[in-house]
Amino acid sequence: MKIRKKWCKNGIVLFLLVFLTGCSVENLGVDKIKEAVQAHQKSEEPREQEITEEQAAFLYGYQTLSADEQKIYRQLVKGLEDFQEEISLSPVSEDGVEKIFNRVMIDHPEYFWTEGSFQYYMETWPDGSAADMKVMPNYLMEQEEAKQIQADIEAKAQEWLAGVSQETDTYEKIKYVYETLIRNVDYDANSANNQNIQSVFLEGRTVCMGYSKATQYLLNQMGIFCTLVTGTASDGTQQGDADTGHAWNLVKIGDEFYYVDTTWGNPGYSDAQNVGVDIFYSYLCCNEDTLAPTHRANDDLQLPTCRDDRYNYYKNKGCWYETYDRNQIYQVMLQNVSGEHHTTELRFASREAYEQAAEEMVQGNIMQEAVQNSSNLSPGQQVSWQIYYGGWDNLIVIVWN
């Protein structure tokens, strides 16, 4: 089961009249009260975290906000990094603070000490407009404990990243992170802290949110744009009627954007590891056509178009088939029936071609014919196989034993 933490809020709205003079409300009027309070507030502006233009390039949520909203974003970041019990914000609406807090959590996978829930109270003018707001985040630990955990996370991250050269191109770095997380971290719906990166780097067990935040964290460490995408996903049986909370990533290579779903690349997520599959690559730097049957992003964050397919792993490996040609697939089986091949991967462009191939391999005799007629086998050599199929990426994997 995939679990997604919902960004929630508990609102306590306090309607306050602020008197900074000795006059009564009747004598002053709302405009005079506002002027007096605003003059006082100018000397007590909420503190902000500096965000450089270079840093902002990696903060997709921040980029989608207006200048006024970005100011509040910086105030929230400052408060969260300082573990402030109450974070003072410039005037903002209830919906506004929830939206901005959500953007902060999207941009900062390293904030494992909070998962985005908070309480707040608002000071309002008699006409109902916002005067001031204070946010009280729900922290999962004290600051000193967070510092130690952060050091442990950074150490593990650097250990993993040491395996890739900085000279490697962007795609290969993304592929390296994808493979590293899948090979080192198990999918476990019952894992502790699975909505943040502690579960990944310290426990080695997580769910989709942990995989996605860890993917973002590692790629950002290497200077690669990667942001979090939240939404829903299904097994595709209802043509995209997604029903389960899910998280994945958006990455950028050159001028183009691509999706990465590390969770769905892990055979342990679908129990395909029982068949012997190592890694699925359909969801590595894929376009929106691959995700459309199963994934649906939330509509609270506008995402760029992802149409480019140049990094399709199976196309580049020569395992992509536009149609199902029995003789062509039979020849592939003949070549692969030997101890030299652990797996045979076949990905089809259409659902129709995929279903034809799956039926022939599971219920037909193409596999038996290939084994009987292969010249790659020694006399008396025994061969068995297991077939993985059923995903909406039109992929078939034969694991040879």
Side-chain angles (χ1 to χ4, degrees):
M1 177 180 178
K2 300 173 287 296
I3 302 174
R4 182 174 71 90
K5 178 76 163 103
K6 296 180 180 178
W7 313 130
C8 61
K9 61 180 175 60
N10 298 308
I12 308 171
V13 183
L14 304 181
F15 294 90
L16 302 177
L17 290 177
V18 182
F19 300 98
L20 297 180
T21 74
C23 301
S24 66
V25 176
E26 291 80 2
N27 292 333
L28 275 176
V30 173
D31 289 340
K32 291 293 185 181
I33 295 175
K34 283 187 175 182
E35 288 177 10
V37 174
Q38 287 169 349
H40 174 71
Q41 287 177 336
K42 283 183 180 178
S43 64
E44 298 182 355
E45 280 287 333
R47 293 184 297 164
E48 300 177 24
Q49 180 72 26
E50 180 184 0
I51 295 178
T52 66
E53 187 175 337
E54 182 180 3
Q55 291 170 332
F58 292 90
L59 306 175
Y60 187 75
Y62 182 75
Q63 297 171 29
T64 65
L65 299 173
S66 68
D68 288 342
E69 290 171 330
Q70 287 180 346
K71 181 177 182 179
I72 295 167
Y73 178 110
R74 295 192 297 271
Q75 293 165 0
L76 282 169
V77 167
K78 178 64 174 174
L80 289 170
E81 293 195 358
D82 290 347
F83 281 72
Q84 293 176 19
E85 293 185 6
E86 289 189 355
I87 304 174
S88 295
L89 303 180
S90 299
V92 60
S93 68
E94 299 172 56
D95 290 340
V97 72
E98 185 173 9
K99 168 187 171 181
I100 298 167
F101 207 121
N102 187 35
R103 298 293 196 276
V104 170
M105 297 307 299
I106 284 173
D107 287 344
H108 294 277
E110 71 274 18
Y111 291 175
F112 58 85
W113 53 84
T114 181
E115 291 179 352
S117 62
F118 61 90
Q119 295 180 317
Y120 69 89
Y121 68 84
M122 179 188 296
E123 297 175 355
T124 63
W125 300 110
D127 63 4
S129 61
D132 193 15
M133 177 176 285
K134 293 187 185 298
V135 166
M136 295 159 286
N138 293 327
Y139 295 110
L140 303 178
M141 61 193 68
E142 298 294 330
Q143 188 170 10
E144 287 304 312
E145 181 183 3
K147 287 181 179 179
Q148 181 56 57
I149 292 175
Q150 186 173 25
D152 294 339
I153 288 174
E154 290 177 355
K156 177 58 71 173
Q158 291 308 309
E159 176 187 326
W160 285 348
L161 292 179
V164 61
S165 169
Q166 288 302 308
E167 304 304 316
T168 304
D169 66 28
T170 300
Y171 168 75
E172 288 297 332
K173 287 178 180 176
I174 296 171
K175 180 172 176 282
Y176 174 84
V177 167
Y178 184 84
E179 293 173 334
T180 297
L181 289 173
I182 290 170
R183 288 170 177 157
N184 288 279
V185 184
D186 295 329
Y187 183 88
D188 184 355
N190 298 314
S191 54
N193 298 306
N194 59 31
Q195 298 302 294
N196 64 68
I197 61 175
Q198 289 183 84
S199 57
V200 174
F201 294 102
L202 304 185
E203 306 294 337
R205 313 182 76 81
T206 195
V207 295
C208 61
M209 188 64 81
Y211 278 119
S212 300
K213 288 186 175 182
T215 300
Q216 181 184 9
Y217 179 79
L218 290 172
L219 291 179
N220 287 170
Q221 291 272 317
M222 290 192 288
I224 297 172
F225 173 88
C226 177
T227 194
L228 180 72
V229 180
T230 58
T232 52
S234 71
D235 60 7
T237 56
Q238 298 180 13
Q239 292 291 325
D241 289 339
D243 54 12
T244 305
H246 192 50
W248 58 100
N249 296 103
L250 177 77
V251 300
K252 189 176 184 180
I253 305 176
D255 295 327
E256 298 289 341
F257 290 92
Y258 306 88
Y259 288 117
V260 173
D261 190 339
T262 309
T263 307
W264 280 33
N266 190 337
Y269 171 77
S270 61
D271 292 328
Q273 63 184 2
N274 296 332
V275 179
V277 179
D278 293 326
I279 294 177
F280 295 127
Y281 289 95
S282 299
Y283 302 99
L284 170 65
C285 295
C286 64
N287 61 18
E288 53 199 45
D289 290 340
T290 297
L291 293 190
T294 52
H295 292 56
R296 181 176 297 164
N298 292 333
D299 58 10
D300 59 342
L301 186 65
Q302 177 115 21
L303 297 172
T305 300
C306 298
R307 303 295 301 174
D308 190 80
D309 197 35
R310 78 186 71 181
Y311 294 105
N312 184 314
Y313 174 87
Y314 296 105
K315 278 187 178 181
N316 294 331
K317 193 179 178 184
C319 304
W320 178 268
Y321 303 90
E322 293 291 335
T323 61
Y324 174 65
D325 181 322
R326 187 184 192 279
N327 184 61
Q328 180 185 29
I329 300 303
Y330 175 69
Q331 294 300 321
V332 172
M333 296 300 107
L334 281 177
Q335 295 173 10
N336 282 215
V337 178
S338 70
E340 298 177 2
H341 294 85
H342 172 60
T343 60
T344 298
E345 297 165 309
L346 311 167
R347 191 172 173 208
F348 295 88
S350 71
R351 195 66 183 172
E352 179 183 6
Y354 160 80
E355 289 176 347
Q356 289 176 338
E359 182 177 5
E360 179 67 37
M361 291 178 187
V362 175
Q363 299 184 20
N365 59 5
I366 188 172
M367 302 298 295
Q368 290 84 350
E369 287 182 22
V371 171
Q372 291 169 2
N373 298 325
S374 175
S375 60
N376 294 329
L377 299 177
S378 304
Q381 182 178 350
Q382 298 294 315
V383 175
S384 63
W385 62 88
Q386 291 180 284
I387 301 175
Y388 167 82
Y389 67 104
W392 274 82
D393 53 349
N394 300 337
L395 175 68
I396 298 173
V397 181
I398 299 101
V399 179
W400 303 99
N401 302 306

